[in-house]
Amino acid sequence: MAVGVFDSGLGGLTVLDAVARRLPQVPFVYFGDNAHAPYGVRTSDDIFALTCAATERLWDEGCDLVILACNTASAAALKRMQETWVPKDKRVLGVFVPLIEALTERQWGDNSPPREVAVKHVALFATPATVASRAFQRELAFRAIGVDVEAQPCGGVVDAIEQGDEILAEALVRSHVEALKRRMPRPEAAILGCTHYPLMQQAFQDALGPEVKVYSQANLVAESLADYLTRRPEFLGQGTETKFLTTGDPASVSNKATLFLRHRIVFEAA
Ligand code: DGL
């Protein structure tokens, strides 16, 4: 009864950590496409092809349900995958909707018309591909009116994290927050719209200031997955083992993952 978790690299481990804590009885198979990260500077055709290949590999591991723990893939490829590619006996879900439901104070499946919500000025930090897709604004517009979103494409941050260069990642976070604040001086909420960014959450919070509520996805996705599996237990696949697969160098990816999550993680070649 395994579930697949996909990311372009290390970022999805922030989601994996939360879902594994929320559903300790479920084995998870993680796939990091480290050889092709970052996705955030790729075209949507490229992101679609890479995400489909990784998803198929997770199906081979007995995971009928795959979570795209990657906003870039969720924004640039998920809709096309669901509409044209995913067979009826499999499911692929993204990480955008749980976050937007939290921001707009909605329960799962509440499809009522968009309404006014408490928060009015939202800063979105994401990869260039996610920002260019405008998927966040589109999903938000289905649920809320009168929310001003200022999006900052955070070039370089994922690369620095994948390379394990925390100092560079922090410096880039500070400069991206400053750039956003020049356009939106007082955001009330900030969305970390990339699963790599919770690894830099403190740097975002410090640069934004304590009055800004920072939303990150891991726990919201975990709740939403638990809820989904209660409603659709048939999508718990045949897999039985938790494992970590990478297209990159397993030894070096294991070391970086262990460093970031502060517990030992061993990757094997995908
Ligand atoms: N962590 C991913 C995301 O949530 C991908 C970042 C990248 O590969 O550029 O967007």
Side-chain angles (χ1 to χ4, degrees):
M1 55 163 192
V3 171
V5 176
F6 161 78
D7 183 48
S8 61
L10 297 171
L13 290 172
T14 59
V15 173
L16 178 85
D17 215 33
V19 293
R21 255 184 286 115
R22 179 67 182 77
L23 297 162
Q25 74 287 8
V26 176
F28 288 95
V29 182
Y30 185 85
F31 184 108
D33 194 7
N34 302 74
H36 302 111
Y39 277 20
V41 288
R42 291 179 177 274
T43 63
S44 31
D45 281 348
D46 216 6
I47 296 168
F48 176 78
L50 290 168
T51 308
C52 289
T55 301
E56 270 179 334
R57 179 70 182 81
L58 286 166
W59 288 341
D60 291 345
E61 289 292 328
C63 302
D64 293 345
L65 168 62
V66 172
I67 309 295
L68 301 186
C70 174
N71 290 269
T72 307
S74 302
L78 179 61
K79 199 162 178 287
R80 182 168 161 200
M81 289 169 82
Q82 288 171 334
E83 286 173 2
T84 67
W85 185 78
V86 179
K88 280 199 172 45
D89 59 340
K90 308 274 191 255
R91 285 291 181 277
V92 180
L93 302 174
V95 285
F96 256 43
V97 170
L99 180 75
I100 291 174
E101 283 174 345
L103 187 74
T104 57
E105 308 145 31
R106 279 185 184 237
Q107 298 298 323
W108 189 89
D110 172 356
N111 291 325
S112 58
R115 54 177 180 257
E116 284 214 29
V117 292
V119 56
K120 299 282 181 240
H121 302 283
V122 176
L124 169 67
F125 297 95
T127 66
T130 299
V131 171
S133 75
R134 297 188 61 81
F136 179 85
Q137 287 90 329
R138 203 171 46 239
E139 290 293 337
L140 185 66
F142 290 136
R143 297 169 178 83
I145 44 177
V147 183
D148 184 16
V149 177
E150 193 61 59
Q152 176 67 27
C154 297
V157 176
V158 168
D159 249 333
I161 293 173
E162 287 287 317
Q163 284 157 19
D165 191 341
E166 223 169 314
I167 293 172
L168 174 61
E170 273 175 26
L172 288 168
V173 164
R174 277 195 298 276
S175 90
H176 286 304
V177 169
E178 272 164 33
L180 180 124
K181 278 182 146 184
R182 284 197 285 276
R183 306 193 305 276
M184 180 182 272
R186 260 184 289 281
E188 299 152 61
I191 304 291
L192 302 189
C194 169
T195 52
H196 280 70
Y197 299 170
L199 297 166
M200 293 290 128
Q201 181 145 353
Q202 197 54 50
F204 274 102
Q205 187 74 70
D206 291 348
L208 284 159
E211 65 288 350
V212 180
K213 178 165 169 51
V214 176
Y215 285 81
S216 74
Q217 288 160 319
N219 292 332
L220 299 169
V221 172
E223 276 318 311
S224 158
L225 175 62
D227 183 50
Y228 186 83
L229 289 174
T230 315
R231 286 179 288 109
R232 305 302 303 268
E234 68 275 24
F235 285 111
L236 274 168
Q238 296 306 306
T240 51
E241 242 188 286
T242 287
K243 46 172 126 162
F244 296 87
L245 304 173
T246 177
T247 54
D249 169 44
S252 119
V253 173
S254 302
N255 286 343
K256 283 174 200 154
T258 301
L259 208 68
F260 277 121
L261 289 189
R262 298 189 170 88
H263 58 85
R264 185 87 189 118
I265 290 181
V266 179
F267 275 84
E268 51 191 275

